[in-house]
Structures are given as C-alpha cells and as structure tokens.
Amino acid sequence: MADFGNDGGLWTARVLGASAGAAVSLIYLLPKSRREAASRFFTGLACGLVFGGPVGLWIAVRLGIAGYLGSAEVLLTGSAAASLSAWWGLGVLVRLAERMRQ
C-alpha cells in the first residue's frame, strides 16, 4: 500500500491534481456565471484534496500498475480524477434540477 504521509511534495501533487481536475471540469462543462465557476472550482478542489489518495490507489490497482507508480503519481492522478468527477456528478444534477424547475 502506498504511504501518503504529510510530505510537502505529496501535498503539492494533491493540490496540482485537484486544481487540474477542477480546471478541466470547467472547460468541459462551461459555467453560466462566475459564482457557479467559483463554486465548481472549490468543490472540485476540496474533493480532489480529500479523495485523491483513495481514488488514485483504486485507479492504479484497477489498472494493475500500482507497483510501477510512486506516491506522488498516484496522488496526482487520483486528485485530478476525484476533482473532475466530483463536479461532473454535481453539475449534471444541477442542470437537471434547473430543467425540472422550468
């Protein structure tokens, strides 16, 4: 199992991965306002920071490459994936709720 301690380099990988995932989510599903963009970005950032380790480890094990990756790579990948998928789920639900309201 990977060791995700409090090393500064690992926190950097988490923040970079979460920021990249949040930015990509904004590009793929454009926000309607600045408030929505900020909300989506910070939601993605928080989810990437919190769930980056478990998601990265799950992806690496699922792909069978866990033995070939270092902790920073697992965290970077996991944080980006968690961040990106967090808003995809929330963004789709928000858009559906808006359509149902009309």
Side-chain angles (χ1 to χ4, degrees):
M1 183 176 286
D3 178 27
F4 301 133
N6 286 326
D7 180 24
L10 296 180
W11 275 103
T12 302
R14 282 182 187 184
V15 170
L16 287 175
S19 298
V24 169
S25 74
L26 292 176
I27 293 168
Y28 274 120
L29 189 61
L30 293 174
K32 293 182 179 179
S33 67
R34 287 184 177 179
R35 182 177 179 187
E36 182 183 350
S39 172
R40 285 173 50 185
F41 183 80
F42 288 116
T43 299
L45 188 65
C47 287
L49 290 174
V50 172
F51 299 111
V55 171
L57 193 57
W58 180 80
I59 290 171
V61 168
R62 188 86 172 155
L63 293 175
I65 58 174
Y68 301 106
L69 300 176
S71 297
E73 294 165 323
V74 171
L75 279 173
L76 183 69
T77 303
S79 293
S83 179
L84 178 62
S85 62
W87 186 251
W88 271 102
L90 292 173
V92 169
L93 290 176
V94 166
R95 298 280 169 105
L96 288 174
E98 287 177 356
R99 287 184 184 169
M100 293 179 82
R101 241 191 286 165
Q102 296 176 357

